[in-house]
Amino acid sequence: MEISVNGEKRQIDVAPDMPLLWVLRDELGIMGPKYGCGIAQCGACTVHVDGMAVRSCQLAIGDLAEGEVTTIEGLGTPDALHAVQEAWIEEQVAQCGYCQSGQIMQAASLLDEDPAPSDEKIDAVMSGNLCRCGTYPRIRAAVKSAATKLKEA
Amino acid sequence: MSRAGTIARRTFLIGSAAIAGGVAFGAYMVNRPIPNPLLDDLSEGEAAITPYVKIDASGITLITPRAEMGQGAVALQANLIAEELDIDPASATLSPGMPGRAYYNAATLEEGAAPGYDDSTSTQITRYMFGKVAKLIGLQITGGSSTTPDSFTKLRTAGAVARETLKEAAAQRTGVNRSQLKTKDGHVILPNGNEIAYTTLAAEAAQIDPVEDVTLRDPSTWRFLGKPDMKRLDMVAKSTGTEIYGIDYKVDGMVFASVCANPAIGGDIISFDATAAKAMLGVQKIVPVSGGVGVIASNTWYAIQAANAIECVWGPGAYPESSDKMWEVLETAIDNEDFFNDRMRDDGDAAVALETDDIIEAEYRVPYLAHAPMEPLNAIVLVTDTKCEIWSGVQAPLWTRDKAAALTGLDPENVHVYVQQMGGSFGHRVEIKNVEQAVEIAMAVKGTPVKMTWSREEDMTQEFPRPPAIARGRGKVSNGQVDTLDLSVSQAAVIPPWLERNSGIAMPGPDPSIGHGSWDQPFTIPNYRVTTYRVPDMVPVSTWRSVGASGNGFMHDTFMDELIHAAGADPLAERVRLCFDETSRKVIEEVGKISGWDGPSLGENRGRGVAFCMSFGVPVAQVVEVTNTTNGIKIDKAFIVADVGTVLDPKNAEAQLFGGMIYGLGHAINSELTYENYAAQQDNYHANEGLRLFQTPEFEVKILENGHHIRGLGEPGVPPAAAALGNAIFAATGQRIREMPFHKHISFV
């Protein structure tokens, strides 16, 4: 089976019901997407498929078809940060940081779909991503400052 | 040659030692030699030094032995060294080092010795003795909000000794007196402006006596510490998916594994049928482990699927089979002399004062709680005939090493623990059952590294949770003031079984943690008594962020709030009046100021509550504002004031405080573990989620620096949160909530 991840074609040989998350992590060694719950309750595994935020623990690889997968590694790098990542660093959001790949991918998808989300919409969309350290106040602030950055860019 | 020098003013000394191509600076133990962790790096005769700084031609390495769980410990430790060493901490390589008894943590035991406000001579002696015990047993542990107090002087001294010794090496090379030299950004600066890089001086610095008589810089001259822009060093990695946690680490040739263990914690496995699991795709081997079965596969997902497909017959648990029966045990123990633990507060005469008809009584309950950090527990283990290597995020690496040595039969010096970054912990990773299981699996495939990962379900149901507790309050008010507060608390012990399970050390006497957050509060009440009762061990329990204060912070302060309301006094003003500790009193007054406190009412259907708890020596006051909407309680805003003596990392300290309060609020509203047929019933985040963003209020945080001791903030934000929320709900609705989780009694939006 061939899939496309971060712009590269990758060959894999796994059961078709294996979730995308475990293909990325244990077959391809792409460790940005995290395993947190396995049942779409925490959002730590969030990636983009054709630009849309998706819980990769719930997408069977056999259902990916031609979908183009982008993980946080494909969103931006330490040397070439995405605006959402810049905002996350400036606001010093992360504590343990384990959920933040998913938070950032969710926020990037939100801002792509709605460049100026209301406070209520930020709360509604970002509430699917769990953070046990309690970084939420800074997530709110970082989503807003990322929106400003993207508008000015 | 090691150069210990002769200065004996401090309980530790910073010395130096040669390493291949460079120099190491670190602590000498004065009273007794302690085996050195960096055996591979230091040659014969140099084993007395425990490095914090290593410099060679390739660069500077800072060693930060307190582990990173999200609390900012690594950045703090690096900045403490860098402040004196005169380097940009972001330019250094950071390493947790190898576990060593010499990295012992005195502060974690010292803080348990006495309340934080108590600076009497006897208390100082007790703290000193507790610190000695930590050193004696080589307690290298990250926990107890202790990294800051433990590291504050030690690591700055290491940086200063290294700096002055490098200057001395430059002085000897150039003939310029050391007093004429300055340092900047990893260089010694000569009077003529020429610069010599530390890295080129390292080999020479190793050959001279270290300059041990150093004076630490005055805080007014700090460039990193205490500055609002002091940044954590892990933000870029954690914002780009490039931080490597234990679950992400890779070892060449490793296979993947998972486990299913008896949901009756500690129970046996009687038999199992792995026929179906063996036939599943990717499955390589089925390995029995203590109390369960492991599966080795070519992918973690295959391993988890197969582990779930094994049919197991479990033995019973060694505790009551259901929550209902456990509550009966707690009810039996409270106010029952047979279960007496201690009575650390007995001011006035509560018994006589309560011989009256107008007593105010209330009973409170807090449930079992899972730690549930976002990263499920895991470990990579390689076992061969001669060594065992472990890569895992653990808070107590030496205990981990010793457990693995016992399982494999190897000598402890042949067991190497490489501490990994942790995706949260909250106390979860002081337990090492996951590592023990990984060692058992790896022993079945010697020579092949095994990465064992628990499913979320396994992680939540194999918890060593926070224990449940019951508190009964009896009190009296007179003349508009609180006159009598008599509190009984019944709870299973946390510290003695935890210590014995993990280290083999038996701890005699009462468990002080049952009372933490209650008797040790800085209030003067005419009749003030706190009695704790230790119920028999039930589900094995462990330290949960803020430990005893996590429950008592709610139960003690809520009862105080009930008495204050009964007295008709103002909740904030009466707490201020009762408080005898000046540092704590200023904290309560300040939260009144920043919240604009003018009473508990905020108009129709709105109210606010204040709560206070001192834990780990840190007084914290919180105010919560709520609205009683038609659909339930909405938390509008929260205010936090704490005093840590000296703030080293303001931005991170603020995050620890609101993060701790969110942890406290989330569990107060939403979370519990209940048991049926010995097993925890909540096995994933849908049933145990803490707080989500939509329920999170706005925050305002202020940190004061009036206290006489420097403190850590990983835990103290948690204990007052539930009480502040419950007190606010009472103010808004008239309904007093005395049991967690609150959602059993009132709806939230």
Side-chain angles (χ1 to χ4, degrees), chain B residues 16-34:
Chain B
S16 65
I19 56 172
V23 63
F25 297 93
Y28 286 101
M29 293 300 106
V30 179
N31 291 348
R32 62 197 294 269
I34 289 177

Side-chain angles (χ1 to χ4, degrees), chain B residues 576-635:
Chain B
V576 168
R577 188 188 70 79
L578 293 170
C579 183
F580 63 77
D581 175 54
E582 188 183 359
T583 305
S584 300
R585 198 166 55 241
K586 285 180 176 168
V587 162
I588 305 170
E589 287 170 342
E590 190 62 31
V591 86
K593 276 184 205 157
I594 68 169
S595 67
W597 182 277
D598 58 1
S601 176
L602 285 167
E604 198 178 347
N605 288 321
R606 296 199 69 228
R608 61 183 158 204
V610 60
F612 173 89
C613 187
M614 174 186 273
S615 62
F616 306 91
V618 181
V620 182
Q622 298 175 345
V623 166
V624 167
E625 298 179 357
V626 301
T627 301
N628 186 23
T629 75
T630 50
N631 294 320
I633 296 291
K634 179 177 187 306
I635 310 175

Side-chain angles (χ1 to χ4, degrees), chain B residues 28-57:
Chain B
Y28 286 101
M29 293 300 106
V30 179
N31 291 348
R32 62 197 294 269
I34 289 177
N36 185 278
L38 293 186
L39 298 173
D40 298 340
D41 290 2
L42 298 172
S43 52
E44 189 71 26
E46 295 170 334
I49 193 166
T50 303
Y52 293 112
V53 182
K54 291 198 290 178
I55 306 176
D56 62 21

Side-chain angles (χ1 to χ4, degrees), chain B residues 374-457:
Chain B
M374 292 296 301
E375 180 197 9
L377 294 188
N378 57 81
I380 303 175
V381 179
L382 169 64
V383 176
T384 69
D385 288 335
T386 56
K387 69 173 181 181
C388 174
E389 292 185 279
I390 297 168
W391 296 263
S392 190
V394 292
Q395 288 176 253
L398 290 173
W399 295 348
T400 307
R401 180 199 66 185
D402 292 346
K403 288 281 188 190
L407 282 168
T408 57
L410 293 164
D411 290 334
E413 59 262 34
N414 293 323
V415 178
H416 303 279
V417 179
Y418 309 100
V419 177
Q420 300 298 305
Q421 298 291 325
M422 303 177 209
S425 180
F426 317 116
H428 202 33
R429 298 167 201 271
V430 294
E431 301 291 342
I432 43 190
K433 183 164 62 179
N434 56 309
V435 182
E436 293 178 84
Q437 290 174 344
V439 170
E440 289 184 280
I441 296 169
M443 287 169 67
V445 287
K446 279 188 179 178
T448 300
V450 177
K451 177 191 271 191
M452 195 289 293
T453 305
W454 276 356
S455 67
R456 169 57 58 195
E457 289 78 10

Side-chain angles (χ1 to χ4, degrees), chain A residues 14-15 17-19 22 25-27 29 31-32 34-37 39 41-42 72-73 77-78 81 85 88-89 91-101 104 123 126-128 130 132-134 136-140, chain B residues 69-70 231-232 235-236 238-241 245 247-248 250 256 281 299-302 371-372 374-376 423-424 426 454-456 651 654-656 658-659 662-663 667 684-686 689-694 696-697 699:
Chain A
V14 298
D17 58 342
M18 179 179 285
W22 293 109
R25 289 184 56 83
D26 284 3
E27 302 295 325
M31 300 313 231
K34 303 300 187 206
Y35 170 57
C37 71
I39 59 168
Q41 287 295 307
C42 79
I72 188 152
E73 289 92 339
T77 64
L81 296 166
Q85 293 170 317
W88 243 251
I89 293 163
E91 296 291 338
Q92 298 274 292
V93 173
Q95 291 186 32
C96 91
Y98 193 80
C99 72
Q100 300 298 345
S101 292
I104 288 167
D123 278 17
M126 298 305 296
S127 280
L130 195 63
R132 295 283 292 166
C133 298
Y136 301 128
R138 290 187 184 169
I139 288 175
R140 278 190 182 125
Chain B
M69 306 182 279
K231 290 194 168 53
R232 287 176 52 148
M235 283 296 166
V236 173
K238 287 179 174 176
S239 304
T240 53
Y245 300 88
I247 204 169
D248 303 324
K250 295 168 194 160
F256 302 89
L281 193 63
N299 183 301
T300 303
W301 187 73
Y302 288 141
H371 305 78
M374 292 296 301
E375 180 197 9
F426 317 116
W454 276 356
S455 67
R456 169 57 58 195
K651 187 86 176 164
E654 177 189 275
Q656 290 308 303
F658 70 64
I662 287 171
Y663 200 72
H667 291 93
N684 208 319
Y685 288 127
H686 65 287
E689 60 187 359
L691 212 63
R692 288 186 183 269
L693 193 138
F694 74 96
T696 302
F699 280 89

Side-chain angles (χ1 to χ4, degrees), chain B residues 182-198:
Chain B
K182 293 185 165 49
T183 50
K184 189 182 177 188
D185 290 339
H187 293 76
V188 176
I189 314 292
L190 299 174
N192 64 8
N194 286 351
E195 300 183 354
I196 309 174
Y198 289 173

Side-chain angles (χ1 to χ4, degrees), chain A residues 18, chain B residues 255-258 274-287 294-310:
Chain A
M18 179 179 285
Chain B
V255 293
F256 302 89
S258 196
T275 311
K278 268 184 197 162
M280 291 170 75
L281 193 63
V283 173
Q284 296 173 356
K285 197 173 177 71
I286 307 293
V287 183
V295 177
I296 297 173
S298 62
N299 183 301
T300 303
W301 187 73
Y302 288 141
I304 291 174
Q305 300 299 108
N308 290 339
I310 298 173

